[in-house]
Amino acid sequence: LQKRKLVDHHAPNASTGIVNGRSSNVLNWDDTRYSWAYPMYKTMLANFWIPSEINMSNDLKQWPELSAQEQASFKKIIGLLAFLDSIQTDYSGKVADYLTDSSVSALMQVLAFQEVVHNQSYSYVLSTLVDQSEQERIFEYWKHDEILMERNQFITDGYEEFANEPSIDKFLKSVVYDVVLEGLFFYAGFAFFYNLARNQKMVSTSTMINYINRDEQIHVNLFAHIFKETLNENPQLDREWYEDFVTTTFKEAVDLEIKWAHHIIGNEFPGIPIDDLEDYIRFIANKRCKLMGADKPYPEYAENPLKWIRAYQEVDEGKSDFFEQKSRQYTKVSEDNGFDDL
Amino acid sequence: LQKRKLVDHHAPNASTGIVNGRSSNVLNWDDTRYSWAYPMYKTMLANFWIPSEINMSNDLKQWPELSAQEQASFKKIIGLLAFLDSIQTDYSGKVADYLTDSSVSALMQVLAFQEVVHNQSYSYVLSTLVDQSEQERIFEYWKHDEILMERNQFITDGYEEFANEPSIDKFLKSVVYDVVLEGLFFYAGFAFFYNLARNQKMVSTSTMINYINRDEQIHVNLFAHIFKETLNENPQLDREWYEDFVTTTFKEAVDLEIKWAHHIIGNEFPGIPIDDLEDYIRFIANKRCKLMGADKPYPEYAENPLKWIRAYQEVDEGKSDFFEQKSRQYTKVSEDNGFDDL
Ligand SMILES: [Ca+2]
Ligand SMILES: [Ca+2]
């Protein structure tokens, strides 16, 4: 892959391709190659939020009342999210270097910015609930927890292969690992927080998780666009092979996510029976594969078994009153924000 | 320079250095190396704004009433800004790759995000005032205007030297070019817009310019920190040599900025006499060099000759009523946002 040039005097402002294309690198939002880019940009801006403005006082009061198991899972999931969003910031920067369309590269910069905000929310939640030394321990779980390490390795291997050999092949594969990370590996953890909120526990934290979830939906859409445009624009690539790669990679990812779900949730929380959670993970994997244009790995799992979870990401649509913060103060535009289903 | 690793299992979360250091790459905002990083991050978030929410109807009404010379300079300056902010987005991504502190690298991602927003504002202003084909022409001025090309080249040469040979030497030099771009090369253009606003013309556009100005102040501070920390942490470098480089580079930059000021402003606008504008440019250059820890290139220019201009960037302090949009709706925190003087 060719890196995007700092400036190309002989290229048009609207690019000639998503990778290995040409572009002056001057960004005019009204003169871009892909019709989906500017609406996505506006949605991302509309989603802006500042973690430290969310009032954590109720969560702080409830924290000591959580069961030991609830606290342990809460901390493990935050530790996981902090790791994943950190490497995600890094990976998105690497991807941006090779996107030869300056508007898509700009979207990647907005995405990276959002990951930074997500990381602030994990620090903010922990600094409210636990002392500094425990916070630092939680931010190091990823170094010691073996189940966590195994699934993190799955992602980082894919990312590092691309970093070490930035070919179009490794690029496309890394995008699939990205969609696994942003579109699947967060979801057992999200379910845990939404289940707490359903029981009127730790609602402010869950609100932040919901904002993060909302961002991640758009990130998944962005990477799916990049994946499909790259295949469209490079007919020399074996499309079917890459689509199969999506499906098989998601199958492996589902096994890892289920293992993790047993580890952090298991049969400890009656609101999320582990069997339903497993099926939910397969259901999500199907959705992601379909979005990427690939076959569903589990076509028999066509329904979301955790029906109640929908309400937790429909705050924007005014259908939910589960959350304290009913109005999304930063959300000012009315476009569809990419949220269809969890 | 070593690139930051995607993940380093044996390194601490708080880094060991700004470049060529070690860090796990996991970002915990409460466990970082530099005390200035988190306050700067919070200020950057507090500065958030969405260009398309600014009402342009008055500007649209006034636009045909501007003189031909006012319109021409207006368009040339927007064309310049669009080019500079575009390459700035790109450069900041390249810098981020080599910052081995994950919080400073995160700040660079926030900076890149802000540049993207700035570019949206140029597109938004032009799409309001001129037709699509003229907008596209303005976004291509940088390809044809010779005075513009000369000063752009000055920056892109410094950036490209770093991109082609990412050594600590080229890195430090590129940071100096960055501070020239963000801290000097915008300022004749900014003065033009503030002078329009002083005459109650194009106030919405000037408000956006003011928001951009506010962001740029922080960007300059960020790069000055990076410059000084890099010198502090690498005593093998000849500090004095680099400080001299700052002063001599700014002298060259002042010559180019003055040439540009004659080109776009000259003696056409009574509110900004060209002699005062020249002195203002030297005054700004002094401020930037001082911030970088270097000698002032023009120690005899100790006073801002455009006194009136201060009011145009003090909206936050409630001292100004020149702007339509008096309240900064997105600015929610009260910390000093890095604005001292233009
Ligand atoms: Ca993400
Ligand atoms: Ca800037």
Side-chain angles (χ1 to χ4, degrees), chain B residues 81-310:
Chain B
L81 295 173
F83 177 84
L84 292 182
D85 266 326
S86 291
I87 62 166
Q88 193 58 19
T89 314
D90 196 285
Y91 170 69
S92 53
K94 287 189 178 35
V95 169
D97 291 344
Y98 293 95
L99 294 169
T100 46
D101 181 277
S102 55
S103 66
V104 181
S105 151
L107 289 174
M108 202 52 66
Q109 301 287 7
V110 183
L111 181 151
F113 164 72
Q114 292 184 327
E115 309 298 10
V116 171
V117 174
H118 299 176
N119 261 84
Q120 184 200 354
S121 68
Y122 310 133
S123 295
Y124 175 62
V125 166
L126 292 180
S127 70
T128 306
L129 303 177
V130 302
D131 65 28
Q132 171 84 6
S133 68
E134 182 153 23
Q135 175 172 346
E136 284 171 20
R137 252 191 328 274
I138 294 167
F139 267 89
E140 300 222 328
Y141 278 174
W142 61 275
K143 290 186 180 174
H144 310 296
D145 184 313
E146 283 195 14
I147 290 168
L148 199 49
M149 285 164 77
E150 186 185 9
R151 70 207 287 284
N152 290 347
Q153 190 82 33
F154 183 71
I155 301 291
T156 52
D157 283 354
Y159 285 1
E160 272 170 350
E161 277 191 36
F162 166 60
N164 297 335
E165 185 206 317
S167 63
I168 198 162
D169 173 66
K170 302 293 189 203
F171 173 75
L172 280 168
K173 288 173 180 164
S174 77
V175 168
V176 179
Y177 287 104
D178 179 280
V179 176
V180 168
L181 190 166
E182 304 198 275
L184 186 72
F185 272 10
F186 283 169
Y187 279 75
F190 287 167
F192 170 79
F193 286 107
Y194 294 146
N195 186 56
L196 281 181
R198 189 156 66 131
N199 293 290
Q200 283 79 50
K201 291 177 186 170
M202 309 306 280
V203 172
S204 296
T205 302
S206 292
T207 302
M208 277 184 256
I209 292 294
N210 177 254
Y211 292 170
I212 292 167
N213 194 164
R214 185 176 61 164
D215 290 342
E216 298 302 340
Q217 294 274 107
I218 298 174
H219 299 183
V220 163
N221 281 336
L222 173 56
F223 276 102
H225 274 298
I226 291 173
F227 184 78
K228 289 185 285 189
E229 299 286 5
T230 303
L231 287 173
N232 289 344
E233 294 176 359
N234 293 277
Q236 80 282 7
L237 297 172
D238 183 345
R239 179 170 209 125
E240 212 168 311
W241 190 92
Y242 285 100
E243 287 171 357
D244 285 351
F245 180 80
V246 172
T247 308
T248 55
T249 304
F250 264 89
K251 272 191 181 162
E252 292 176 62
V254 162
D255 291 343
L256 288 166
E257 182 71 2
I258 286 176
K259 198 168 170 186
W260 165 254
H262 279 267
H263 181 51
I264 54 157
I265 294 178
N267 271 314
E268 299 292 332
F269 307 104
I272 340 173
I274 189 72
D275 290 351
D276 285 357
L277 186 58
E278 287 193 13
D279 294 353
Y280 174 68
I281 291 166
R282 295 185 185 100
F283 167 76
I284 300 283
N286 283 342
K287 282 182 67 80
R288 301 307 177 225
C289 289
K290 192 177 161 214
L291 185 69
M292 307 280 280
D295 288 340
K296 296 178 179 181
Y298 307 98
E300 64 281 22
Y301 293 84
E303 297 237 338
N304 181 352
L306 299 177
K307 292 248 169 288
W308 59 270
I309 220 167
R310 277 193 66 99

Side-chain angles (χ1 to χ4, degrees), chain A residues 85 88 111 115 118 181-182 186 215-216 219:
Chain A
D85 265 327
Q88 193 57 19
L111 181 151
E115 310 297 11
H118 299 176
L181 190 166
E182 304 198 274
F186 283 170
D215 291 342
E216 298 302 340
H219 299 183

